């Protein structure tokens, strides 16, 4: 008996959904088996993304080396991972104090990391420092600090673990970068500069170590959206036409900022951590984790730069005017 044509499309949708579900389940199972027994270093493991990565890789049976700037937070993360964990399936993580703002300590840190197991299979460079300010308000000391944390630190650590990776002809270095390593945004000059620098470094490194079997991956994500802010009620504009104009301008500026940063651009730590796991398993070389608007901006930067520059400049003028009218 032939099926009515009206039933064909729903059945195809259900079939496709079932195949997609099975595929995800298989990939999820494989992701755990692929990292088992691998020595994985995670920097800034106490951050939102770092914690999510730690839990994913720990459940997958990886031998974790967790790095962070605060010992108490590292111990707390250690307890959360080992409590109720099956010692037959998982390994107790090793903890290493790491502060990229203290570059003088990097030699000792690298030595301590290498002493844990003698080698590193996967290095996940997750540390980052953000700074939002007009160019003229950023001091040289702030510039140096953000470059240490976002560029010199990850590059130095990568150099430290590379020799054993090259000698073993195996290894994977993952840079968790920002979309601003590919697209500069106003009021984030130092941050964008550091992200561009580290992106270029790992792009060069990728080509240099490929012949040794070492994989280098970069993940460019948008803003981390750790929580959803509660909705706020905006008062109705006053009847006066000038007051209404001021209200609408301020409201439009603030609302567009919230929407852009929290809804359109934001990526949750759990989503990013899953992407990092998939990148390690599939050995992807470059990943852009962004919604349509940032992706369109990247294309505009490449093919229509003048148009993008004009849009960004107008946005700066509107934000300044909105502040003046508040």
């Amino acid at each position: 008996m032939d099926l009515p044509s009206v039933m064909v499309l729903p059945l195809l949708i259900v079939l496709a959904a079932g195949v997609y579900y099975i595929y995800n389940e298989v990939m999820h199972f494989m992701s755990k088996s692929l990292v088992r027994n691998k020595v994985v270093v995670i920097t800034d493991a106490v951050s939102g993304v770092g914690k999510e990565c730690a839990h994913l890789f720990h459940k997958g049976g990886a031998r974790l080396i967790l790095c962070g700037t605060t010992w108490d937070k590292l111990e707390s993360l250690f307890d959360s991972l080992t409590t109720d964990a099956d010692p037959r399936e998982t390994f107790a993580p090793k903890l290493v104090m790491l502060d990229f703002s203290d570059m003088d300590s990097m030699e000792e840190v690298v030595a301590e990391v290498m002493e844990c197991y003698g080698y590193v299979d996967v290095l996940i460079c997750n540390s980052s420092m953000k700074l939002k300010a007009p160019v003229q308000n950023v001091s040289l000391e702030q510039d140096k600090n953000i470059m240490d944390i976002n560029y010199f630190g990850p590059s130095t650590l990568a150099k430290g673990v590379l020799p054993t990776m090259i000698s073993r002809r195996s290894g994977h270095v993952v840079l968790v970068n920002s979309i601003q390593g590919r697209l500069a945004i106003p009021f984030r000059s130092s941050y964008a500069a550091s992200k561009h620098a580290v992106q270029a470094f790992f792009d060069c490194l990728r080509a240099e170590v490929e012949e040794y079997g070492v994989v280098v991956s970069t993940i460019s994500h948008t803003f981390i959206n750790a929580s959803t802010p509660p909705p706020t009620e905006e008062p109705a504009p006053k009847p006066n036409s000038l007051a209404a104009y001021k209200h609408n301008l301020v409201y439009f500026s603030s609302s567009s900022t919230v929407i852009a940063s929290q809804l359109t651009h934001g990526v949750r730590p759990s989503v990013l951590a899953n992407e990092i796991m998939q990148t390690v398993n599939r050995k992807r070389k470059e990943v852009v984790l962004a919604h349509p608007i940032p992706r369109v901006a990247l294309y505009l930067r490449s093919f229509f730069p003048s148009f993008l520059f004009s849009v960004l400049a107008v946005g700066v003028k509107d934000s300044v005017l909105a502040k003046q009218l508040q």
Side-chain angles (χ1 to χ4, degrees):
M1 179 178 179
D2 295 335
L3 289 173
S5 57
V6 71
M7 294 291 295
V8 174
L9 182 58
L11 286 175
L12 287 176
I13 293 175
V14 171
L15 179 62
V19 172
Y20 181 73
Y21 173 79
I22 294 173
Y23 171 79
N24 279 339
E25 289 298 313
V26 171
M27 292 306 300
H28 182 69
F29 174 78
M30 289 181 61
S31 67
K32 291 185 176 181
S33 61
L34 289 176
V35 300
R36 181 162 185 78
N37 294 322
K38 297 288 186 180
V39 177
V40 180
V41 178
I42 303 175
T43 67
D44 197 14
V46 297
S47 66
V49 176
K51 289 179 181 178
E52 293 287 348
C53 283
H55 282 280
L56 274 180
F57 282 89
H58 184 256
K59 290 178 181 178
R63 302 172 186 263
L64 291 179
I65 303 175
L66 305 178
C67 304
T69 58
T70 307
W71 188 255
D72 290 342
K73 292 183 178 180
L74 283 174
E75 287 187 325
S76 176
L77 177 58
F78 178 92
D79 292 339
S80 68
L81 292 173
T82 55
T83 301
D84 299 328
D86 187 351
R88 297 170 298 178
E89 298 292 332
T90 60
F91 299 92
K94 297 184 181 295
L95 309 180
V96 175
M97 287 288 291
L98 170 61
D99 185 358
F100 282 148
S101 64
D102 181 15
M103 290 301 298
D104 293 335
S105 67
M106 284 305 299
E107 185 175 349
E108 296 179 2
V109 170
V110 171
E112 187 176 354
V113 168
M114 297 308 299
E115 284 175 2
C116 291
Y117 292 102
Y119 63 93
V120 172
D121 290 305
V122 181
L123 169 62
I124 300 176
C125 296
N126 173 56
S127 303
S128 182
M129 174 187 175
K130 297 177 176 62
L131 177 64
K132 180 179 179 181
V135 172
Q136 65 272 21
N137 293 348
V138 180
S139 67
L140 179 59
E141 189 64 29
Q142 289 175 310
D143 280 332
K144 290 180 178 179
N145 192 34
I146 200 169
M147 287 298 291
D148 281 344
I149 295 174
N150 292 354
Y151 170 63
F152 289 114
S155 61
T156 301
L157 184 57
K159 291 177 183 178
V161 303
L162 268 179
T164 56
M165 287 186 175
I166 292 175
S167 64
R168 298 174 69 240
R169 304 190 74 83
S170 175
H172 197 159
V173 180
V174 181
L175 171 67
V176 183
N177 203 21
S178 165
I179 197 75
Q180 294 185 53
R182 301 159 60 92
L183 178 69
I185 299 176
F187 303 116
R188 295 168 178 84
S189 57
S190 298
Y191 178 71
S194 66
K195 290 301 183 178
H196 273 71
V198 75
Q199 178 75 35
F201 175 89
F202 281 88
D203 283 346
C204 293
L205 180 63
R206 179 188 297 114
E208 293 181 20
V209 299
E210 184 173 356
E211 64 175 308
Y212 303 109
V214 178
V215 179
V216 176
S217 304
T218 59
I219 302 176
S220 301
H221 63 81
T222 51
F223 302 114
I224 301 297
N225 183 7
S227 61
T228 304
T232 57
E233 293 292 333
E234 287 292 331
K238 298 177 182 180
N240 180 277
S241 59
L242 179 59
Y245 169 77
K246 291 181 179 180
H247 170 87
N248 290 334
L249 181 59
V250 172
Y251 177 67
F252 173 78
S253 176
S254 60
S255 298
S256 61
T257 301
V258 171
I259 291 173
S261 61
Q262 298 296 334
L263 301 180
T264 306
H265 298 261
V267 55
R268 294 199 172 278
S270 58
V271 174
L272 180 52
N274 276 295
E275 189 64 46
I276 294 170
M277 173 71 87
Q278 295 301 323
T279 299
V280 171
N281 291 332
R282 302 178 186 180
K283 300 186 184 302
R284 295 171 177 169
K285 294 182 179 180
E286 187 172 59
V287 175
V288 177
L289 190 59
H291 292 279
I293 290 179
R295 290 179 179 272
V296 170
L298 287 175
Y299 286 114
L300 290 176
R301 179 64 181 86
S302 300
F303 299 106
F304 303 100
S306 296
F307 176 76
L308 179 63
F309 297 157
S310 298
V311 171
L312 293 175
V314 169
V316 171
K317 293 177 182 177
D318 286 347
S319 64
V320 172
L321 180 57
K323 290 180 180 178
Q324 292 175 347
L325 291 174
Q326 283 182 332

